[in-house]
Every structure is written in C-alpha cells, then in structure tokens.
Amino acid sequence: MDLDKLKTTDTLDVKGKRVIVRADLNVPVKDGKVSDATRLERLVPGLAGLMQRGARVVVISHFGRPKGGPDPQYTLRPVADALSKLLPQPAAFAGDCVGEAAQNAVAALKPGQIAVLENLRFHAGEEKNDAEFAKQLAALGDVFVNDAFSAAHRAHASTDALARLLPAYAGPLLMEEITALRSVLDKPQRPTAAVIGGAKVSTKIPVLTNLAAKVDKLIIGGGMANTFFLAQGVNIGKSLAEPDFTKTALEIMHAAKARSCEIVLPADVVVAPKFEAGAPSKTVPALEVPSDQMILDVGPKAIAHYNDVLSRCKTLLWNGPLGAFEIDPFGEGTFQVARAAAAATKAGTLVSVAGGGDTVAALNAAGVTDQFSYVSTAGGAFLEWLEGRTLPGIAALTRG
Ligand code: AMP
C-alpha cells in the first residue's frame, strides 16, 4: 500500500459532478435525536466545500448493526436531519441507498445540493463486499470520496468494491487521520514513546508487538501491566491478569530488548481490595502488592517516571488508560500523564497522537482532548493501523 498514491479532491473540478462521499454517520442517537454531533461537525467543512464548488453530493454511511435488511431502529433519517442543520443548505433524504428512491433523490440534486441516503447495512451486499450492490451504488455517482477512516478496516462494498468502480479519492478527515498516524509511526521525530494501557494484553498483542519494533520507549500501564509483572514472577495479589499470556508478555519484552526499546512498567501502584468506586486504596511498590489487594492504577512514582520519560521524547502515541479511570480515585495516573503530555504538546516539544475508544473517554475526563496534536475516534481502524495492518478501505484508494 503506497500511501503517497492517495489523491484528494482539492484540485478536482467537481462542478456538476455527482460525488459520492462515504462518511461515518454512525453517531450516538437517543430517542430519535443525535446526542453527540461531534462527528457530524467534523464532516461539515469537507461536505460544504464540495457543495460550494458546485458538486452534487451524495452521502452514504452505515449506522449501527442491522441484520442485512431494513430496520427502523437503524434509520439514518435523524442523523440526516442533524447534519442538515450544520450544512449551508439542508440535505435531502432518500429512504434507500440504492434503487429508485436513491436514483430519484440523486437525479433531483442541483449543483451545490446534497442528499443523504439510507443506511447501507439495510442491504446484505454491503458487509459482503458484493460487486453487484457496489455497482448499484456506483451508478449514483461520477466520483467516489472515502472520508470514513473509522470504517476503513472493513472490506465492505462502500469501502472496497465501490472504490474499484469509480475514480476514488481520499476525503479530508481520512487524510488528516492518516497524516497524524504517519507522523508518529512512519518517520517520527525521535525518541518516540508509546503509552499502552487498558485491561488486557490479549486484545493488544499485535499492537504491542508492532510498537515494540518501532518505538524507543514502550510505557505499559493499566491491567495489562499486571500480566507483564506476573510473567516475571511478581506477586500481583487479586489483580486482573491473563496467566495464559505471560509467555506472550515475555516474548514482547525480549523483542523490545533486542532493539533497545525500553519497556517501562510502573514502579508503584494504587491498590484496593475491590474494583469499586471509593474502595479504600493505598499506594504500594509494584513488587509488594498484598495478596488481598488488586492493582487499579499506577502510583505517584510511576507517574513521575512516565512524565520524565515523555519529557525526553519528541513523539507520543497513546492507546488505553493507565488505570480503572472510570472509578474514583483510580483515574489519577491516566489524568496526570495525559495532562503532562498535553502541556508538552502545547509547549511544542511533543507531537501527541491518541486513539481507541476508552482512550478518548479517558482524555475527555482529563480535560485534555483538545490539547493533543490529534485524537482519533476511529476505534477498530485505529488499532489495526497500530498493528501495522493494511486497511482495505485505504488500500482501495491507492490502486489507481
Ligand atoms: P481497553 O478497552 O483494553 O483499552 O481497556 C480499558 C479498560 O481497562 C477500562 O475500562 C479500565 O477501567 C480498565 N483498566 C485499566 N487498568 C485496569 C486495572 N489495573 N485493573 C482493571 N481494569 C483496568
């Protein structure tokens, strides 16, 4: 996959052209109303730009997980309504993404106008990457723009097959995401650090393996640090851990050591007898966890050490919280390290890129999301990129 082959529509003459934009309209909806429009707000400049340049814009997206057929619970109509309010002019809505309803909606578009088509997953062909379904979608446009990085890890009709049928371009949000990820993984400013936390080693083995081969400092926190301790024969009391993955943890440590990547584990930890808000907690050295206690956060010495390591790094990639940040007081490790990284970013000494579901929530809770260089909301696609995998939706845009 040659990322330099990605083309944008910046210099393309889109006037009068039907431009199909694969967006990610999969936003939270409660009682028929969009409850968080952040994703939509980010899409608007790109869509409005195409409209202002005279394109006839056709937006397609999945929404939720319907079972390959129409399901009113998963209609995109409320999302289209919310998007309409943010655009220079309201969007038309078609009750189907292919067939007559879609064809009529697209045919009615004048240059500068926009339509949103119903949920792609109302057709089984979408998730099957079905060529026939993709053909029906392709018939609705002259040009294809993929602006949904978060869906790029799936080879679906709207991310893969469709890109083979029309001239295919990368949208501005997708480019922004790729540029941010390349800045930390491809040719980063060194030294580079990765902070990897979260509950389990097992879900992040490929991420840890790939990063151990790339970064200079691998800072490990959260529940997954426990498995690394266990692997070294350290008593971790009642802490969450995965004994089946101690061998994997050792392999990752050896691979890191072989290329002088330093693995940084917490020197001290915050423990409590149970996983519960307000549980009586105390700080102990990581090597002295009492048998009746569990590790729920990294301690002040670990925080100071992590921050010191980061102060000497120029690039940071962050995925996963350093503790059980959702319950008080076990968010301090995550919050304090996130604030230090945000401050370094603000001071211009660190490029910081973070992502993955819980990470965004953790950075929001720390109040620093805006101060990182880039925060990705693309859960699965972000992780697969960190694993070093080729994302089908991106590869499809680099063919031509
Ligand atoms: P992940 O989805 O793998 O990034 O894991 C995120 C979850 O890990 C969060 O819900 C945290 O509460 C949890 N977590 C982080 N540290 C610990 C810990 N030491 N013990 C138990 N759970 C933890």
Side-chain angles (χ1 to χ4, degrees), residues 205-232:
I205 296 168
V207 171
L208 289 164
T209 309
N210 188 39
L211 292 179
K214 287 208 159 118
V215 300
D216 303 307
K217 311 278 174 189
L218 188 51
I219 297 174
I220 297 182
M224 74 165 61
N226 304 343
T227 303
F228 281 82
F229 282 131
L230 195 62
Q232 296 171 84

mmCIF file with all atom_site columns, all heavy atoms in Angstrom, residues 205-232:
data_model
loop_
_atom_site.group_PDB
_atom_site.id
_atom_site.type_symbol
_atom_site.label_atom_id
_atom_site.label_alt_id
_atom_site.label_comp_id
_atom_site.label_asym_id
_atom_site.label_entity_id
_atom_site.label_seq_id
_atom_site.pdbx_PDB_ins_code
_atom_site.Cartn_x
_atom_site.Cartn_y
_atom_site.Cartn_z
_atom_site.occupancy
_atom_site.B_iso_or_equiv
_atom_site.pdbx_formal_charge
_atom_site.auth_seq_id
_atom_site.auth_comp_id
_atom_site.auth_asym_id
_atom_site.auth_atom_id
_atom_site.pdbx_PDB_model_num
ATOM 1   N N   . ILE A 1 205 ? -2.067 -7.772  21.589 1.00 0.00 ? 205 ILE A N   1
ATOM 2   C CA  . ILE A 1 205 ? -0.781 -8.414  21.278 1.00 0.00 ? 205 ILE A CA  1
ATOM 3   C C   . ILE A 1 205 ? -0.169 -7.855  19.991 1.00 0.00 ? 205 ILE A C   1
ATOM 4   O O   . ILE A 1 205 ? 0.986  -7.447  19.978 1.00 0.00 ? 205 ILE A O   1
ATOM 5   C CB  . ILE A 1 205 ? -0.916 -9.959  21.169 1.00 0.00 ? 205 ILE A CB  1
ATOM 6   C CG1 . ILE A 1 205 ? -1.317 -10.529 22.511 1.00 0.00 ? 205 ILE A CG1 1
ATOM 7   C CG2 . ILE A 1 205 ? 0.391  -10.608 20.714 1.00 0.00 ? 205 ILE A CG2 1
ATOM 8   C CD1 . ILE A 1 205 ? -1.750 -11.980 22.445 1.00 0.00 ? 205 ILE A CD1 1
ATOM 9   N N   . PRO A 1 206 ? -0.955 -7.815  18.882 1.00 0.00 ? 206 PRO A N   1
ATOM 10  C CA  . PRO A 1 206 ? -0.337 -7.303  17.646 1.00 0.00 ? 206 PRO A CA  1
ATOM 11  C C   . PRO A 1 206 ? 0.096  -5.836  17.768 1.00 0.00 ? 206 PRO A C   1
ATOM 12  O O   . PRO A 1 206 ? 1.105  -5.448  17.175 1.00 0.00 ? 206 PRO A O   1
ATOM 13  C CB  . PRO A 1 206 ? -1.445 -7.437  16.601 1.00 0.00 ? 206 PRO A CB  1
ATOM 14  C CG  . PRO A 1 206 ? -2.463 -8.354  17.187 1.00 0.00 ? 206 PRO A CG  1
ATOM 15  C CD  . PRO A 1 206 ? -2.357 -8.209  18.669 1.00 0.00 ? 206 PRO A CD  1
ATOM 16  N N   . VAL A 1 207 ? -0.655 -5.053  18.554 1.00 0.00 ? 207 VAL A N   1
ATOM 17  C CA  . VAL A 1 207 ? -0.278 -3.647  18.736 1.00 0.00 ? 207 VAL A CA  1
ATOM 18  C C   . VAL A 1 207 ? 1.052  -3.570  19.482 1.00 0.00 ? 207 VAL A C   1
ATOM 19  O O   . VAL A 1 207 ? 1.990  -2.885  19.066 1.00 0.00 ? 207 VAL A O   1
ATOM 20  C CB  . VAL A 1 207 ? -1.365 -2.887  19.540 1.00 0.00 ? 207 VAL A CB  1
ATOM 21  C CG1 . VAL A 1 207 ? -0.892 -1.495  19.922 1.00 0.00 ? 207 VAL A CG1 1
ATOM 22  C CG2 . VAL A 1 207 ? -2.657 -2.789  18.749 1.00 0.00 ? 207 VAL A CG2 1
ATOM 23  N N   . LEU A 1 208 ? 1.144  -4.326  20.591 1.00 0.00 ? 208 LEU A N   1
ATOM 24  C CA  . LEU A 1 208 ? 2.371  -4.301  21.392 1.00 0.00 ? 208 LEU A CA  1
ATOM 25  C C   . LEU A 1 208 ? 3.561  -4.800  20.582 1.00 0.00 ? 208 LEU A C   1
ATOM 26  O O   . LEU A 1 208 ? 4.650  -4.232  20.633 1.00 0.00 ? 208 LEU A O   1
ATOM 27  C CB  . LEU A 1 208 ? 2.193  -5.166  22.653 1.00 0.00 ? 208 LEU A CB  1
ATOM 28  C CG  . LEU A 1 208 ? 1.246  -4.603  23.720 1.00 0.00 ? 208 LEU A CG  1
ATOM 29  C CD1 . LEU A 1 208 ? 0.840  -5.684  24.713 1.00 0.00 ? 208 LEU A CD1 1
ATOM 30  C CD2 . LEU A 1 208 ? 1.911  -3.435  24.455 1.00 0.00 ? 208 LEU A CD2 1
ATOM 31  N N   . THR A 1 209 ? 3.335  -5.863  19.813 1.00 0.00 ? 209 THR A N   1
ATOM 32  C CA  . THR A 1 209 ? 4.421  -6.441  19.020 1.00 0.00 ? 209 THR A CA  1
ATOM 33  C C   . THR A 1 209 ? 4.900  -5.445  17.971 1.00 0.00 ? 209 THR A C   1
ATOM 34  O O   . THR A 1 209 ? 6.099  -5.226  17.803 1.00 0.00 ? 209 THR A O   1
ATOM 35  C CB  . THR A 1 209 ? 3.936  -7.735  18.334 1.00 0.00 ? 209 THR A CB  1
ATOM 36  O OG1 . THR A 1 209 ? 3.351  -8.563  19.334 1.00 0.00 ? 209 THR A OG1 1
ATOM 37  C CG2 . THR A 1 209 ? 5.062  -8.480  17.661 1.00 0.00 ? 209 THR A CG2 1
ATOM 38  N N   . ASN A 1 210 ? 3.955  -4.824  17.280 1.00 0.00 ? 210 ASN A N   1
ATOM 39  C CA  . ASN A 1 210 ? 4.327  -3.864  16.236 1.00 0.00 ? 210 ASN A CA  1
ATOM 40  C C   . ASN A 1 210 ? 5.039  -2.654  16.841 1.00 0.00 ? 210 ASN A C   1
ATOM 41  O O   . ASN A 1 210 ? 6.055  -2.193  16.314 1.00 0.00 ? 210 ASN A O   1
ATOM 42  C CB  . ASN A 1 210 ? 3.065  -3.425  15.474 1.00 0.00 ? 210 ASN A CB  1
ATOM 43  C CG  . ASN A 1 210 ? 3.385  -2.573  14.258 1.00 0.00 ? 210 ASN A CG  1
ATOM 44  O OD1 . ASN A 1 210 ? 4.359  -2.833  13.544 1.00 0.00 ? 210 ASN A OD1 1
ATOM 45  N ND2 . ASN A 1 210 ? 2.603  -1.540  14.031 1.00 0.00 ? 210 ASN A ND2 1
ATOM 46  N N   . LEU A 1 211 ? 4.516  -2.167  17.967 1.00 0.00 ? 211 LEU A N   1
ATOM 47  C CA  . LEU A 1 211 ? 5.111  -0.967  18.552 1.00 0.00 ? 211 LEU A CA  1
ATOM 48  C C   . LEU A 1 211 ? 6.480  -1.262  19.164 1.00 0.00 ? 211 LEU A C   1
ATOM 49  O O   . LEU A 1 211 ? 7.386  -0.425  19.101 1.00 0.00 ? 211 LEU A O   1
ATOM 50  C CB  . LEU A 1 211 ? 4.174  -0.352  19.597 1.00 0.00 ? 211 LEU A CB  1
ATOM 51  C CG  . LEU A 1 211 ? 2.894  0.230   19.000 1.00 0.00 ? 211 LEU A CG  1
ATOM 52  C CD1 . LEU A 1 211 ? 1.999  0.789   20.097 1.00 0.00 ? 211 LEU A CD1 1
ATOM 53  C CD2 . LEU A 1 211 ? 3.198  1.316   17.974 1.00 0.00 ? 211 LEU A CD2 1
ATOM 54  N N   . ALA A 1 212 ? 6.623  -2.464  19.735 1.00 0.00 ? 212 ALA A N   1
ATOM 55  C CA  . ALA A 1 212 ? 7.929  -2.817  20.304 1.00 0.00 ? 212 ALA A CA  1
ATOM 56  C C   . ALA A 1 212 ? 9.006  -2.816  19.219 1.00 0.00 ? 212 ALA A C   1
ATOM 57  O O   . ALA A 1 212 ? 10.191 -2.647  19.501 1.00 0.00 ? 212 ALA A O   1
ATOM 58  C CB  . ALA A 1 212 ? 7.865  -4.181  20.979 1.00 0.00 ? 212 ALA A CB  1
ATOM 59  N N   . ALA A 1 213 ? 8.586  -2.992  17.972 1.00 0.00 ? 213 ALA A N   1
ATOM 60  C CA  . ALA A 1 213 ? 9.541  -2.990  16.861 1.00 0.00 ? 213 ALA A CA  1
ATOM 61  C C   . ALA A 1 213 ? 9.731  -1.587  16.290 1.00 0.00 ? 213 ALA A C   1
ATOM 62  O O   . ALA A 1 213 ? 10.520 -1.386  15.381 1.00 0.00 ? 213 ALA A O   1
ATOM 63  C CB  . ALA A 1 213 ? 9.049  -3.925  15.754 1.00 0.00 ? 213 ALA A CB  1
ATOM 64  N N   . LYS A 1 214 ? 9.003  -0.618  16.807 1.00 0.00 ? 214 LYS A N   1
ATOM 65  C CA  . LYS A 1 214 ? 9.067  0.717   16.196 1.00 0.00 ? 214 LYS A CA  1
ATOM 66  C C   . LYS A 1 214 ? 9.484  1.836   17.141 1.00 0.00 ? 214 LYS A C   1
ATOM 67  O O   . LYS A 1 214 ? 10.232 2.713   16.749 1.00 0.00 ? 214 LYS A O   1
ATOM 68  C CB  . LYS A 1 214 ? 7.675  1.071   15.637 1.00 0.00 ? 214 LYS A CB  1
ATOM 69  C CG  . LYS A 1 214 ? 7.331  0.301   14.369 1.00 0.00 ? 214 LYS A CG  1
ATOM 70  C CD  . LYS A 1 214 ? 6.377  1.093   13.496 1.00 0.00 ? 214 LYS A CD  1
ATOM 71  C CE  . LYS A 1 214 ? 6.422  0.610   12.062 1.00 0.00 ? 214 LYS A CE  1
ATOM 72  N NZ  . LYS A 1 214 ? 5.144  0.081   11.617 1.00 0.00 ? 214 LYS A NZ  1
ATOM 73  N N   . VAL A 1 215 ? 8.944  1.823   18.379 1.00 0.00 ? 215 VAL A N   1
ATOM 74  C CA  . VAL A 1 215 ? 9.181  2.983   19.241 1.00 0.00 ? 215 VAL A CA  1
ATOM 75  C C   . VAL A 1 215 ? 10.435 2.798   20.099 1.00 0.00 ? 215 VAL A C   1
ATOM 76  O O   . VAL A 1 215 ? 10.994 1.703   20.171 1.00 0.00 ? 215 VAL A O   1
ATOM 77  C CB  . VAL A 1 215 ? 7.953  3.269   20.156 1.00 0.00 ? 215 VAL A CB  1
ATOM 78  C CG1 . VAL A 1 215 ? 6.721  3.549   19.328 1.00 0.00 ? 215 VAL A CG1 1
ATOM 79  C CG2 . VAL A 1 215 ? 7.704  2.108   21.127 1.00 0.00 ? 215 VAL A CG2 1
ATOM 80  N N   . ASP A 1 216 ? 10.862 3.867   20.761 1.00 0.00 ? 216 ASP A N   1
ATOM 81  C CA  . ASP A 1 216 ? 12.048 3.795   21.617 1.00 0.00 ? 216 ASP A CA  1
ATOM 82  C C   . ASP A 1 216 ? 11.680 3.473   23.065 1.00 0.00 ? 216 ASP A C   1
ATOM 83  O O   . ASP A 1 216 ? 12.452 2.842   23.782 1.00 0.00 ? 216 ASP A O   1
ATOM 84  C CB  . ASP A 1 216 ? 12.797 5.128   21.556 1.00 0.00 ? 216 ASP A CB  1
ATOM 85  C CG  . ASP A 1 216 ? 13.184 5.472   20.123 1.00 0.00 ? 216 ASP A CG  1
ATOM 86  O OD1 . ASP A 1 216 ? 13.811 4.613   19.470 1.00 0.00 ? 216 ASP A OD1 1
ATOM 87  O OD2 . ASP A 1 216 ? 12.823 6.562   19.638 1.00 0.00 ? 216 ASP A OD2 1
ATOM 88  N N   . LYS A 1 217 ? 10.509 3.934   23.494 1.00 0.00 ? 217 LYS A N   1
ATOM 89  C CA  . LYS A 1 217 ? 10.055 3.676   24.876 1.00 0.00 ? 217 LYS A CA  1
ATOM 90  C C   . LYS A 1 217 ? 8.638  3.136   24.815 1.00 0.00 ? 217 LYS A C   1
ATOM 91  O O   . LYS A 1 217 ? 7.760  3.767   24.207 1.00 0.00 ? 217 LYS A O   1
ATOM 92  C CB  . LYS A 1 217 ? 10.017 4.978   25.691 1.00 0.00 ? 217 LYS A CB  1
ATOM 93  C CG  . LYS A 1 217 ? 11.277 5.819   25.588 1.00 0.00 ? 217 LYS A CG  1
ATOM 94  C CD  . LYS A 1 217 ? 12.335 5.318   26.536 1.00 0.00 ? 217 LYS A CD  1
ATOM 95  C CE  . LYS A 1 217 ? 13.645 6.071   26.306 1.00 0.00 ? 217 LYS A CE  1
ATOM 96  N NZ  . LYS A 1 217 ? 14.763 5.484   27.040 1.00 0.00 ? 217 LYS A NZ  1
ATOM 97  N N   . LEU A 1 218 ? 8.425  2.004   25.434 1.00 0.00 ? 218 LEU A N   1
ATOM 98  C CA  . LEU A 1 218 ? 7.073  1.425   25.474 1.00 0.00 ? 218 LEU A CA  1
ATOM 99  C C   . LEU A 1 218 ? 6.608  1.464   26.931 1.00 0.00 ? 218 LEU A C   1
ATOM 100 O O   . LEU A 1 218 ? 7.061  0.671   27.759 1.00 0.00 ? 218 LEU A O   1
ATOM 101 C CB  . LEU A 1 218 ? 7.126  -0.002  24.934 1.00 0.00 ? 218 LEU A CB  1
ATOM 102 C CG  . LEU A 1 218 ? 5.813  -0.742  24.713 1.00 0.00 ? 218 LEU A CG  1
ATOM 103 C CD1 . LEU A 1 218 ? 4.826  0.071   23.883 1.00 0.00 ? 218 LEU A CD1 1
ATOM 104 C CD2 . LEU A 1 218 ? 6.070  -2.083  24.022 1.00 0.00 ? 218 LEU A CD2 1
ATOM 105 N N   . ILE A 1 219 ? 5.746  2.435   27.204 1.00 0.00 ? 219 ILE A N   1
ATOM 106 C CA  . ILE A 1 219 ? 5.261  2.625   28.564 1.00 0.00 ? 219 ILE A CA  1
ATOM 107 C C   . ILE A 1 219 ? 3.995  1.799   28.738 1.00 0.00 ? 219 ILE A C   1
ATOM 108 O O   . ILE A 1 219 ? 3.014  2.004   28.028 1.00 0.00 ? 219 ILE A O   1
ATOM 109 C CB  . ILE A 1 219 ? 4.974  4.121   28.822 1.00 0.00 ? 219 ILE A CB  1
ATOM 110 C CG1 . ILE A 1 219 ? 6.282  4.916   28.709 1.00 0.00 ? 219 ILE A CG1 1
ATOM 111 C CG2 . ILE A 1 219 ? 4.301  4.316   30.176 1.00 0.00 ? 219 ILE A CG2 1
ATOM 112 C CD1 . ILE A 1 219 ? 6.108  6.429   28.812 1.00 0.00 ? 219 ILE A CD1 1
ATOM 113 N N   . ILE A 1 220 ? 4.039  0.859   29.655 1.00 0.00 ? 220 ILE A N   1
ATOM 114 C CA  . ILE A 1 220 ? 2.891  -0.042  29.819 1.00 0.00 ? 220 ILE A CA  1
ATOM 115 C C   . ILE A 1 220 ? 2.238  0.212   31.171 1.00 0.00 ? 220 ILE A C   1
ATOM 116 O O   . ILE A 1 220 ? 2.894  0.259   32.216 1.00 0.00 ? 220 ILE A O   1
ATOM 117 C CB  . ILE A 1 220 ? 3.340  -1.508  29.685 1.00 0.00 ? 220 ILE A CB  1
ATOM 118 C CG1 . ILE A 1 220 ? 3.879  -1.730  28.262 1.00 0.00 ? 220 ILE A CG1 1
ATOM 119 C CG2 . ILE A 1 220 ? 2.181  -2.462  29.982 1.00 0.00 ? 220 ILE A CG2 1
ATOM 120 C CD1 . ILE A 1 220 ? 4.322  -3.131  27.970 1.00 0.00 ? 220 ILE A CD1 1
ATOM 121 N N   . GLY A 1 221 ? 0.921  0.396   31.133 1.00 0.00 ? 221 GLY A N   1
ATOM 122 C CA  . GLY A 1 221 ? 0.167  0.607   32.370 1.00 0.00 ? 221 GLY A CA  1
ATOM 123 C C   . GLY A 1 221 ? -1.150 -0.136  32.275 1.00 0.00 ? 221 GLY A C   1
ATOM 124 O O   . GLY A 1 221 ? -1.352 -0.964  31.387 1.00 0.00 ? 221 GLY A O   1
ATOM 125 N N   . GLY A 1 222 ? -2.057 0.180   33.201 1.00 0.00 ? 222 GLY A N   1
ATOM 126 C CA  . GLY A 1 222 ? -3.373 -0.464  33.175 1.00 0.00 ? 222 GLY A CA  1
ATOM 127 C C   . GLY A 1 222 ? -3.281 -1.923  33.573 1.00 0.00 ? 222 GLY A C   1
ATOM 128 O O   . GLY A 1 222 ? -2.235 -2.422  34.015 1.00 0.00 ? 222 GLY A O   1
ATOM 129 N N   . GLY A 1 223 ? -4.388 -2.624  33.368 1.00 0.00 ? 223 GLY A N   1
ATOM 130 C CA  . GLY A 1 223 ? -4.454 -4.037  33.735 1.00 0.00 ? 223 GLY A CA  1
ATOM 131 C C   . GLY A 1 223 ? -3.392 -4.860  33.017 1.00 0.00 ? 223 GLY A C   1
ATOM 132 O O   . GLY A 1 223 ? -2.894 -5.853  33.549 1.00 0.00 ? 223 GLY A O   1
ATOM 133 N N   . MET A 1 224 ? -3.018 -4.423  31.811 1.00 0.00 ? 224 MET A N   1
ATOM 134 C CA  . MET A 1 224 ? -2.082 -5.267  31.054 1.00 0.00 ? 224 MET A CA  1
ATOM 135 C C   . MET A 1 224 ? -0.686 -5.307  31.674 1.00 0.00 ? 224 MET A C   1
ATOM 136 O O   . MET A 1 224 ? 0.047  -6.272  31.491 1.00 0.00 ? 224 MET A O   1
ATOM 137 C CB  . MET A 1 224 ? -2.050 -4.865  29.606 1.00 0.00 ? 224 MET A CB  1
ATOM 138 C CG  . MET A 1 224 ? -1.336 -3.595  29.295 1.00 0.00 ? 224 MET A CG  1
ATOM 139 S SD  . MET A 1 224 ? -1.053 -3.584  27.538 1.00 0.00 ? 224 MET A SD  1
ATOM 140 C CE  . MET A 1 224 ? -2.720 -3.630  26.941 1.00 0.00 ? 224 MET A CE  1
ATOM 141 N N   . ALA A 1 225 ? -0.336 -4.269  32.449 1.00 0.00 ? 225 ALA A N   1
ATOM 142 C CA  . ALA A 1 225 ? 0.968  -4.293  33.126 1.00 0.00 ? 225 ALA A CA  1
ATOM 143 C C   . ALA A 1 225 ? 1.028  -5.472  34.090 1.00 0.00 ? 225 ALA A C   1
ATOM 144 O O   . ALA A 1 225 ? 2.093  -6.060  34.316 1.00 0.00 ? 225 ALA A O   1
ATOM 145 C CB  . ALA A 1 225 ? 1.194  -2.982  33.873 1.00 0.00 ? 225 ALA A CB  1
ATOM 146 N N   . ASN A 1 226 ? -0.137 -5.841  34.658 1.00 0.00 ? 226 ASN A N   1
ATOM 147 C CA  . ASN A 1 226 ? -0.171 -6.941  35.636 1.00 0.00 ? 226 ASN A CA  1
ATOM 148 C C   . ASN A 1 226 ? 0.330  -8.241  35.018 1.00 0.00 ? 226 ASN A C   1
ATOM 149 O O   . ASN A 1 226 ? 1.023  -9.023  35.672 1.00 0.00 ? 226 ASN A O   1
ATOM 150 C CB  . ASN A 1 226 ? -1.592 -7.155  36.161 1.00 0.00 ? 226 ASN A CB  1
ATOM 151 C CG  . ASN A 1 226 ? -2.167 -5.877  36.750 1.00 0.00 ? 226 ASN A CG  1
ATOM 152 O OD1 . ASN A 1 226 ? -1.420 -4.953  37.050 1.00 0.00 ? 226 ASN A OD1 1
ATOM 153 N ND2 . ASN A 1 226 ? -3.481 -5.823  36.900 1.00 0.00 ? 226 ASN A ND2 1
ATOM 154 N N   . THR A 1 227 ? -0.041 -8.483  33.772 1.00 0.00 ? 227 THR A N   1
ATOM 155 C CA  . THR A 1 227 ? 0.395  -9.717  33.106 1.00 0.00 ? 227 THR A CA  1
ATOM 156 C C   . THR A 1 227 ? 1.916  -9.692  32.891 1.00 0.00 ? 227 THR A C   1
ATOM 157 O O   . THR A 1 227 ? 2.587  -10.723 32.996 1.00 0.00 ? 227 THR A O   1
ATOM 158 C CB  . THR A 1 227 ? -0.369 -9.903  31.781 1.00 0.00 ? 227 THR A CB  1
ATOM 159 O OG1 . THR A 1 227 ? -1.767 -9.915  32.085 1.00 0.00 ? 227 THR A OG1 1
ATOM 160 C CG2 . THR A 1 227 ? -0.007 -11.212 31.093 1.00 0.00 ? 227 THR A CG2 1
ATOM 161 N N   . PHE A 1 228 ? 2.449  -8.497  32.619 1.00 0.00 ? 228 PHE A N   1
ATOM 162 C CA  . PHE A 1 228 ? 3.915  -8.380  32.480 1.00 0.00 ? 228 PHE A CA  1
ATOM 163 C C   . PHE A 1 228 ? 4.596  -8.649  33.822 1.00 0.00 ? 228 PHE A C   1
ATOM 164 O O   . PHE A 1 228 ? 5.648  -9.284  33.872 1.00 0.00 ? 228 PHE A O   1
ATOM 165 C CB  . PHE A 1 228 ? 4.294  -6.993  31.935 1.00 0.00 ? 228 PHE A CB  1
ATOM 166 C CG  . PHE A 1 228 ? 4.100  -6.875  30.447 1.00 0.00 ? 228 PHE A CG  1
ATOM 167 C CD1 . PHE A 1 228 ? 2.853  -6.604  29.908 1.00 0.00 ? 228 PHE A CD1 1
ATOM 168 C CD2 . PHE A 1 228 ? 5.160  -7.068  29.568 1.00 0.00 ? 228 PHE A CD2 1
ATOM 169 C CE1 . PHE A 1 228 ? 2.661  -6.511  28.537 1.00 0.00 ? 228 PHE A CE1 1
ATOM 170 C CE2 . PHE A 1 228 ? 4.983  -6.974  28.197 1.00 0.00 ? 228 PHE A CE2 1
ATOM 171 C CZ  . PHE A 1 228 ? 3.731  -6.695  27.683 1.00 0.00 ? 228 PHE A CZ  1
ATOM 172 N N   . PHE A 1 229 ? 3.995  -8.185  34.918 1.00 0.00 ? 229 PHE A N   1
ATOM 173 C CA  . PHE A 1 229 ? 4.561  -8.476  36.243 1.00 0.00 ? 229 PHE A CA  1
ATOM 174 C C   . PHE A 1 229 ? 4.500  -9.969  36.537 1.00 0.00 ? 229 PHE A C   1
ATOM 175 O O   . PHE A 1 229 ? 5.473  -10.580 36.971 1.00 0.00 ? 229 PHE A O   1
ATOM 176 C CB  . PHE A 1 229 ? 3.802  -7.704  37.334 1.00 0.00 ? 229 PHE A CB  1
ATOM 177 C CG  . PHE A 1 229 ? 4.192  -6.251  37.429 1.00 0.00 ? 229 PHE A CG  1
ATOM 178 C CD1 . PHE A 1 229 ? 3.235  -5.258  37.466 1.00 0.00 ? 229 PHE A CD1 1
ATOM 179 C CD2 . PHE A 1 229 ? 5.536  -5.883  37.499 1.00 0.00 ? 229 PHE A CD2 1
ATOM 180 C CE1 . PHE A 1 229 ? 3.596  -3.913  37.566 1.00 0.00 ? 229 PHE A CE1 1
ATOM 181 C CE2 . PHE A 1 229 ? 5.912  -4.534  37.590 1.00 0.00 ? 229 PHE A CE2 1
ATOM 182 C CZ  . PHE A 1 229 ? 4.934  -3.553  37.628 1.00 0.00 ? 229 PHE A CZ  1
ATOM 183 N N   . LEU A 1 230 ? 3.321  -10.536 36.281 1.00 0.00 ? 230 LEU A N   1
ATOM 184 C CA  . LEU A 1 230 ? 3.123  -11.967 36.530 1.00 0.00 ? 230 LEU A CA  1
ATOM 185 C C   . LEU A 1 230 ? 4.159  -12.790 35.762 1.00 0.00 ? 230 LEU A C   1
ATOM 186 O O   . LEU A 1 230 ? 4.730  -13.749 36.287 1.00 0.00 ? 230 LEU A O   1
ATOM 187 C CB  . LEU A 1 230 ? 1.702  -12.343 36.076 1.00 0.00 ? 230 LEU A CB  1
ATOM 188 C CG  . LEU A 1 230 ? 1.133  -13.671 36.536 1.00 0.00 ? 230 LEU A CG  1
ATOM 189 C CD1 . LEU A 1 230 ? 1.020  -13.705 38.064 1.00 0.00 ? 230 LEU A CD1 1
ATOM 190 C CD2 . LEU A 1 230 ? -0.267 -13.882 35.925 1.00 0.00 ? 230 LEU A CD2 1
ATOM 191 N N   . ALA A 1 231 ? 4.420  -12.368 34.531 1.00 0.00 ? 231 ALA A N   1
ATOM 192 C CA  . ALA A 1 231 ? 5.371  -13.089 33.679 1.00 0.00 ? 231 ALA A CA  1
ATOM 193 C C   . ALA A 1 231 ? 6.764  -13.106 34.298 1.00 0.00 ? 231 ALA A C   1
ATOM 194 O O   . ALA A 1 231 ? 7.563  -14.008 34.050 1.00 0.00 ? 231 ALA A O   1
ATOM 195 C CB  . ALA A 1 231 ? 5.426  -12.433 32.301 1.00 0.00 ? 231 ALA A CB  1
ATOM 196 N N   . GLN A 1 232 ? 7.039  -12.087 35.130 1.00 0.00 ? 232 GLN A N   1
ATOM 197 C CA  . GLN A 1 232 ? 8.369  -12.010 35.755 1.00 0.00 ? 232 GLN A CA  1
ATOM 198 C C   . GLN A 1 232 ? 8.362  -12.553 37.180 1.00 0.00 ? 232 GLN A C   1
ATOM 199 O O   . GLN A 1 232 ? 9.286  -12.322 37.951 1.00 0.00 ? 232 GLN A O   1
ATOM 200 C CB  . GLN A 1 232 ? 8.837  -10.549 35.751 1.00 0.00 ? 232 GLN A CB  1
ATOM 201 C CG  . GLN A 1 232 ? 9.031  -10.026 34.334 1.00 0.00 ? 232 GLN A CG  1
ATOM 202 C CD  . GLN A 1 232 ? 9.285  -8.527  34.316 1.00 0.00 ? 232 GLN A CD  1
ATOM 203 O OE1 . GLN A 1 232 ? 10.416 -8.082  34.494 1.00 0.00 ? 232 GLN A OE1 1
ATOM 204 N NE2 . GLN A 1 232 ? 8.232  -7.760  34.146 1.00 0.00 ? 232 GLN A NE2 1
#
